Amino acid sequence: MKKLGMLALAAVLVAMFTIPAWAIESEFGGYWRTRFYTTQNFTGEDETEAADFSGVDTRTRLYYTVIFHENLKFVNKFEFDATWGTGPLGDIGADGKEFEIKNSYVDFNTGPVNWKVGIQGAVLARGFLFDDDFSGLQVNYKGETFELPFVWVKAYEGTEVSFNNSQNDNDFDADYFGIFPKFTLGGMFDVNPYFLYIYSKDASNWFTTPAGNQSVLAQLGGLAEELNLWYAGLDLDVDFDMASLWFTGIYQGGDVDLQTGGSADFEAWLLAVGGNVNVGMFDIHGRGFYATGDDDDDDDIETFTPPQGVSYYWAEIMGYGIFDFMASNNAPADNISNVWAANLGMSVKPMDKLKVALDVWYAALAEKIAVAGGGEEDVLGTEVDLVITYEVVENLNLDLVGAYLFAGDATTENLDDDENPYEVGARLSLSF
């Protein structure tokens, strides 16, 4: 893979310098950040130090786009990651071979229809359903006051299993098909109903791959067979002169056949709401969400379980935040499932180069879980986050972060050595 990546980069560079300058235009951009941070007591106790971490990491992303004309682009994005003091890129000598191709796709127009074909990124339902890179295509018809996007995500290719299976390898394929129309009403309202369907004739291998372990209902392991899963939702955005509001509602339905016989039905849902008010240098904001859990009273699957590719960041400690190294014990991180949370915050910008944001989060599990200390608990706790952002020089920003979680019993698990999690860190970043 590393050799393939280097060959791909070489091919792009050759194209940059061999295609006549008059034939194309080029866009070059990127992103860089270095983070210095420590996370402590994320296990809810201070004896094992199992999740304690102090370190520095760097990420570089380089973007190169070939613009043939207004109706055709060739987009490439590359990434290099390193944790300081570890190989092969972050250690002494820094002779790294860490190379990732994040995106490589064509972006073209046929009349009012835009096509993106290849390895690309997408955000669906604000990230509650999907925010990641994937192989597939996006087709978007653009009207004057509406858009009609269609998305196909190739989640899993069955031929990864083996070419010697007695069963057709294509049976193991997993695909997402989604339609996400968007309507703008009166220049103030954006209405975005959508439908996402996921199908696999035999999902057993997808669920047992490393990537599949982060996907829909990983707890099924290799028990799943035919999967018919769908999400029907609505996003609503309202913009006023000094304020904005948003709402998301998603219902999860469908069923999955099991190798043990019978089937299980999906019956779950998620609701989320948020908004902000701008008053001079001040911004007052808040948001909240509820994603169902399962009370185990029946065989239905009532835990809201987003598909593989989900990513919705929220609190610094419980929801990844700026330092997305890990989340506190039993918190869902960026996979919003079996949890409810509410946030109120304020930011102030006393000068062009300085911004200070203070946020308070309260979170609990929708359904209680068994904890190591005995019994069942649901309260994750109350978190306070402080982020100070300063523009050191033009285009280079410094974020100073401090976060503290007053842990609930679902985080500490009623252990005798319970302790509140906290994190402190800084991030230098630039984009161009």
Side-chain angles (χ1 to χ4, degrees), residues 275-276 283-287 314-318 322 342-348 355-362 382-388 402-406:
N276 71 286
D283 172 271
I284 301 172
H285 54 267
R287 53 178 161 152
W314 45 297
E316 295 292 333
I317 293 176
M318 294 185 287
I322 287 178
N343 154 250
L344 182 62
M346 181 184 72
S347 64
V348 57
K355 179 182 177 181
V356 181
L358 178 66
D359 282 89
V360 178
W361 283 92
Y362 178 83
T382 300
E383 180 176 328
V384 180
D385 301 333
L386 176 65
V387 179
I388 301 172
Y404 192 89
L405 175 61
F406 297 93

Side-chain angles (χ1 to χ4, degrees), residues 10-209:
V12 172
L13 293 174
V14 169
M16 290 170 58
F17 291 107
T18 57
I19 297 176
W22 52 263
I24 63 169
E25 295 181 14
S26 299
E27 285 184 354
F28 183 72
Y31 170 79
W32 173 92
R33 60 110 166 112
T34 292
R35 308 181 301 184
F36 310 77
Y37 60 101
T38 181
T39 60
Q40 301 292 317
N41 305 329
F42 272 39
T43 56
E45 46 81 35
D46 63 355
E47 290 294 326
T48 66
E49 300 181 348
D52 291 358
F53 175 81
S54 296
V56 184
D57 61 32
T58 293
R59 166 167 291 169
T60 301
R61 286 179 175 170
L62 299 177
Y63 309 150
Y64 176 68
T65 300
V66 181
I67 305 174
F68 294 93
H69 46 75
E70 63 180 5
N71 289 316
L72 177 61
K73 299 178 182 178
F74 177 42
V75 182
N76 294 274
K77 298 182 179 181
F78 311 100
E79 181 172 294
F80 315 88
D81 293 319
T83 299
W84 290 17
T86 67
L89 182 58
D91 58 356
I92 298 296
D95 186 16
K97 298 181 178 63
E98 293 293 318
F99 181 87
E100 300 174 27
I101 302 175
K102 294 292 290 181
N103 290 169
S104 184
Y105 63 93
V106 290
D107 180 343
F108 63 96
N109 301 311
T110 54
V113 181
N114 175 256
W115 302 74
K116 294 180 180 178
V117 183
I119 305 168
Q120 57 193 287
V123 179
L124 307 177
R126 308 185 200 278
F128 286 115
L129 288 184
F130 194 91
D131 185 356
D132 211 336
D133 299 306
F134 67 95
S135 297
L137 64 85
Q138 298 186 71
V139 184
N140 188 13
Y141 177 87
K142 296 183 178 180
E144 291 186 4
T145 60
F146 72 94
E147 297 182 13
L148 190 60
F150 169 80
V151 180
W152 169 42
V153 176
K154 188 64 183 181
Y156 185 74
E157 173 55 55
T159 53
E160 285 191 14
V161 180
S162 170
F163 285 100
N164 299 315
N165 275 307
S166 58
Q167 186 176 7
N168 186 347
D169 289 335
N170 289 326
D171 290 351
F172 298 110
D173 288 0
D175 298 89
Y176 303 178
F177 306 95
I179 187 167
F180 292 79
K182 182 178 180 180
F183 305 90
T184 300
L185 308 176
M188 220 170 84
F189 297 88
D190 286 334
V191 181
N192 180 201
Y194 44 83
F195 184 83
L196 179 66
Y197 175 66
I198 300 175
Y199 177 75
S200 177
K201 190 171 182 180
D202 188 335
S204 58
N205 283 284
W206 180 36
F207 282 155
T208 53
T209 61

Side-chain angles (χ1 to χ4, degrees), residues 395-414:
N395 297 326
L396 180 65
N397 292 321
L398 172 65
D399 296 298
L400 301 175
V401 181
Y404 192 89
L405 175 61
F406 297 93
D409 290 336
T411 299
T412 62
E413 298 204 5
N414 297 323

